[in-house]
Amino acid sequence: MLNSKSGKQFLLPIIVLFIIVLGGIFFLKPKITNIINNRKELTGDRKILADLTTKVSLLEGLSKPELAEKADLLLKVLPSEKDVARTMSVLKQVALNNELIISELTIPDVGEIASGSSVPPKSSSKNEILPSLAVKLTVLGAREKIVNFLAQVEQTAPLARVSNLDISQKNEGLDEAMIDINSYYFPLPKTLNKTEQAVVSVTTQEETVFDKLDNFSFIGENSRETATSSALPSGEKTDLFNY
Amino acid sequence: MSNEIDFLKGQKGASSAKTNFFRSLKVGSIVILLTYFLFIAAVFSYWFFLGKQLSDISQQIVTQKNKVNNLKEVESLQVVLKQKLSILNKFFLSQKGQSFNNLLSYISQISAQIKIKDLKMGKDKINLSGSSPSIPILEKFLQELKNDKSLTLFSQITLSSLDRQEDGNYFFNLILEVKK
């Protein structure tokens, strides 16, 4: 009798232990695992939210018309693809402005000019920072005009640099110059960054590029439109080879 | 007066100790159970609180992402601007040495009395062929090439040939190594 009575006394602690063990296995353990995962996720989400908030405030602080104007200027200075027609047009105009006669203008290796050509050529030199269109030009004129021409070519959009020069005297006061010019371009990025990725601000050093572009001339834009509009025939063409 | 003798005194002592033990066990079990339930309630509340926070933050992320999507055009312009400025900055910083027109105008300036027949300019070297009507003029030209300004432009100047021609002119070839 005593034993059964003391046995019953142990029943409550056993039940309590049973409840604790079952509760731990079926409720506490999964919930605690869930809490740990949720905390990790919360930390990650908080960081994403902070980045997005910073990005939004940065983008909202930018002026779209001002950005568009600057981007337009930079695209004229450094086009996103090989603009063969514009390069030739600009060189011809600069030569004309300096009273030089172009006896030869060649672009030896244009490559693709379709949309796929926005990829920089594989053969571009490792020393060159920018891919370029190589132009070979022969001009005739006074030496000082040739010197002016060289200066103006490097200060006229699109960005160009003289890589080689060969001047020989033809007659008194008349020189012939064979000039190799690199006309630079740089493709646009193919895709935008991911939404969560931060916008990288322009540094102060990079802003100084605009100072260097202050002296740049932009010619050929209007004249190209005029030339194009005047060259286009009205009505149907019966002769493919003549306007 | 009657005296009582308790023959069960020892047994009573033993059973009261046992009773106390079981009572403590019973109370302890209840206390442990109540504490356990409180702990479960706390865990559950914290889990619920975290879930709500996650939901709020996810909602805020969606709102911010929508704002970013609405500003996609501004972002594209900024990306283009950054890309172009960055590469142009690198380009301008890499431009070392003198430009062709600076070198050419300097040579033209110091060779006023010299007839330059041929001038080949590369990135590192200039080959100059010309003629001088007399030795003193040629000498003056070569002296000019040794002045301070020339020393800043050229690292080496070599007179590779000098010939007196039939007409009395002196034909020469110069190689100038351009300083980087």
Side-chain angles (χ1 to χ4, degrees), chain A residues 19-36:
Chain A
I19 290 170
I20 288 171
V21 168
L22 278 181
I25 293 169
F26 293 108
F27 184 79
L28 269 185
K29 187 169 176 275
K31 277 285 173 282
I32 288 172
T33 310
N34 220 332
I35 283 169
I36 291 168

Side-chain angles (χ1 to χ4, degrees), chain B residues 71-82:
Chain B
L71 292 164
K72 269 282 181 251
E73 221 174 303
V74 175
E75 191 184 355
S76 334
L77 288 170
Q78 173 66 11
V79 164
V80 167
L81 201 73
K82 172 72 184 174

Side-chain angles (χ1 to χ4, degrees), chain A residues 39 64 165 167 169 186, chain B residues 46 73 84 117 119 121:
Chain A
R39 277 177 65 87
K64 189 176 158 187
L165 174 66
I167 298 181
Q169 194 180 34
F186 197 70
Chain B
Y46 186 56
E73 221 174 303
K84 297 286 180 193
K117 302 280 186 190
L119 182 71
M121 291 174 89

Side-chain angles (χ1 to χ4, degrees), chain B residues 6 23 35 39 46 73 79 99 113 135 175:
Chain B
D6 189 0
R23 194 180 295 142
T35 311
F39 178 67
Y46 186 56
E73 221 174 303
V79 164
S99 64
Q113 291 173 296
I135 282 285
I175 299 171

